[in-house]
Amino acid sequence: MMFKIRQRNCMLIVTALVLAPCIVILMVMGPELSTEQSLTQRLAECHMRLQYLESMYRARQEDVALLSQYLGQLQSVNVTGASAPPPPRLSPEARQLLRNASHISKGGSANGSMARSQNIRLPNAYHFLPHLLDDAGSLRPAYLQSKGRSDVSIVLGVPTVRREKQSYLLGTLHNLIENMNDEEQNETLIIVYIGETDMESVQLIARQIEASFDQHVESGLIDIIAPAPSYYPNFERLRITLNDPLERVKWRSKQNLDFAYLMAYAHSKGTFYVQLEDDILTKRQFITTMKKFALIKSALTKPDQPEWFVLDFCQLGFIGKMFKSAELPYLITYFQMFYNDKPVDWLLTYFIESKVCRTDKDQKHCNAEKAKYWQHFRKSLFQHIGTSSSLKGKVQKLKDKQFGSKVPQYYAHTHNPPALVKSNIAPYKNYLLQRAYRGESYFWGLLPQPGDLVQIIFERPTQLRHYLFRSGNSEHPSDRFYNTTVELLPADTLSENSSVWSNYNTTTDGYLVVGSFDSLGVAEGLLDAKIGAIKELRLHVHSDSENWALLSEIELQEWGSDSKSEDNAAKPRYVGGS
């Protein structure tokens, strides 16, 4: 009995010895743990308070920006001496802000005292893109070339950037304009959005457009616009979403903001807006086709059915999506809200689903409802041709199978003057120069080198009035002749006093330089009759090329031949001979 009591006492002593240090530690650490938890809570509270104060600061910045806008326009009114009502372009928020600052309403208190009215301010772009408030000019274009065309039927939005490898922009613009008739051009506006912050890059692209399409820029068919650098946020501070690398997050976030800016500019320009890309092809009279389809769909909508929101003229990405301009603000706001979260084509899908899909229904029901708002044209009107993406390292070979094969691969001229044709540019497979000259196929050669020639040696001296060489085609738009001149060798020696010498440069071996390939890969011109008969005509390459060379059209017209004759007219061919 005494042994058991002693054993129990020993156990109590041992337990006390073990627990005592733990109790001491808890007594010492307890307040520290409590203090740490308290500090964490206080820090969280301060963080939330800081976020609130920052939002208040942004709101005051917005007030200053809006008032600055108003005062600037008011100053311009004073300079002209006109009356000073609220300027018509002043934003609704600014006008409301001025009313709030001056308007007093009666009533509202038991003693009849005057109470200042207080209106609720709704969120706008500054809430979703607060960095815009850091610069008063963040929404002012850094570059704008426009003749002020508006009230058109269809606005085409073409965003572009400077590409490292190959730009498809000029070819895309040429294809769009080439496939419009005069009436379609008069009811269309093409807006080229240059999404670059470096002004040298912006001006370079703008000059290329203006040089290649001077007539259409002057007529007002083409507008060119670029945003201020401050329109974009600090892309290095974006949230990583979808587990994508930062570079991809930056690329797709910028694309969302580009589309939002482009749509905002286009909003007041026409009835319908169509989103395109800078590396596409289209079909003849696509403007008329789209307009007719949109009007039919609008007219056939029954009173108890929803109106369409998207008309889809291409199965790929965001290409060929038509919207009513009046409804663009919905998309613009949505893109601003979620620009950092998802790619732009995903956002469009989620936007439609948010409008029509129910949580208590299955995906089949959702798809059926979406089809009412998002309607597809039976055949695609646009084809994607680019392979080099604006995202560095991304290669995309997407093709729309619904587009069909109605884009010619080459243009055949079967009555060119008899000649021996040859080249030291090695042909690929059976795409021979001889077959291209006869109109049986196109010529496709491997990488041209400086000094390479394409020679056309006539069987008899021939007097030419017009020449046309077109390089590249719809499948291989980059395989063009670059830095290449058109040269000819007269059959007879020209007199020293001939005016021809003052009209053309000459090569060291006696050829006259009569033209060159332009930025679209085309060389075309009329020849002076004083040159006389020609022994040889050649294409002369002057620099290395990163691409192969493809001749999709060769046309030579002789003096005395009818330029409108059907004999040697261009005959579109849709499948290249091989």
Side-chain angles (χ1 to χ4, degrees), residues 230-461:
S230 56
Y231 168 67
Y232 297 110
N234 184 348
F235 287 113
E236 300 297 330
R237 300 175 62 182
L238 292 175
R239 291 177 292 105
I240 299 297
T241 53
L242 304 180
N243 291 322
D244 280 343
L246 177 60
E247 285 304 312
R248 188 175 185 86
V249 175
K250 289 160 61 176
W251 173 75
R252 56 178 167 81
S253 298
K254 179 181 177 296
Q255 186 180 52
N256 286 331
L257 295 176
D258 287 344
F259 279 32
Y261 194 106
L262 177 53
M263 289 178 175
Y265 176 76
H267 171 231
S268 62
K269 301 292 185 181
T271 306
F272 301 109
Y273 174 80
V274 180
Q275 185 70 49
L276 300 177
E277 292 187 6
D278 65 350
D279 52 356
I280 61 164
L281 291 175
T282 188
K283 298 177 180 178
R284 294 291 298 174
Q285 296 186 329
F286 69 102
I287 292 292
T288 299
T289 303
M290 290 193 299
K291 181 180 177 182
K292 181 179 179 181
F293 186 69
L295 294 177
I296 289 175
K297 286 298 180 181
S298 300
L300 293 179
T301 302
K302 298 180 181 179
D304 59 338
Q305 292 181 340
E307 294 187 357
W308 62 269
F309 186 82
V310 187
L311 295 182
D312 203 337
F313 296 95
C314 181
Q315 305 297 315
L316 301 177
F318 218 109
I319 300 172
K321 306 299 183 281
M322 173 184 277
F323 308 92
K324 302 166 191 168
S325 294
E327 296 180 336
L328 285 178
Y330 296 107
L331 276 183
I332 295 168
T333 302
Y334 198 76
F335 293 163
Q336 291 171 344
M337 292 171 63
F338 300 107
Y339 76 93
N340 190 183
D341 298 291
K342 301 285 178 65
V344 68
D345 49 337
W346 291 19
L347 289 180
L348 177 60
T349 300
Y350 291 136
F351 179 84
I352 301 296
E353 290 180 352
S354 298
K355 288 177 68 72
V356 303
C357 294
R358 296 173 49 165
T359 57
D360 59 340
K361 298 289 185 179
D362 58 14
Q363 188 62 40
K364 182 178 180 180
H365 178 270
C366 179
N367 292 339
E369 292 300 309
K370 281 168 57 178
K372 298 176 183 178
Y373 288 83
W374 190 330
Q375 302 187 25
H376 294 264
F377 188 64
R378 62 184 181 277
K379 282 286 187 179
S380 296
L381 295 182
F382 303 97
Q383 177 65 285
H384 180 259
I385 61 172
T387 56
S388 299
S389 171
S390 55
L391 174 61
K392 186 176 181 180
K394 180 183 178 184
V395 177
Q396 50 189 16
K397 298 184 178 181
L398 300 174
K399 297 294 180 183
D400 191 336
K401 296 180 180 179
Q402 296 294 324
F403 185 75
S405 59
K406 291 189 176 181
V407 177
Q409 298 302 302
Y410 69 99
Y411 293 89
H413 294 273
T414 57
H415 287 75
N416 285 321
L420 168 68
V421 293
K422 61 182 181 177
S423 176
N424 49 1
I425 301 175
Y428 175 67
K429 292 187 176 180
N430 203 30
Y431 297 99
L432 305 176
L433 180 61
Q434 294 85 349
R435 300 186 66 214
Y437 190 74
R438 294 194 299 264
E440 299 172 0
S441 179
Y442 53 84
F443 169 62
W444 199 11
L446 307 186
L447 298 170
Q449 303 295 318
D452 282 351
L453 300 172
V454 173
Q455 295 175 274
I456 302 173
I457 305 171
F458 298 107
E459 292 183 0
R460 56 176 176 78

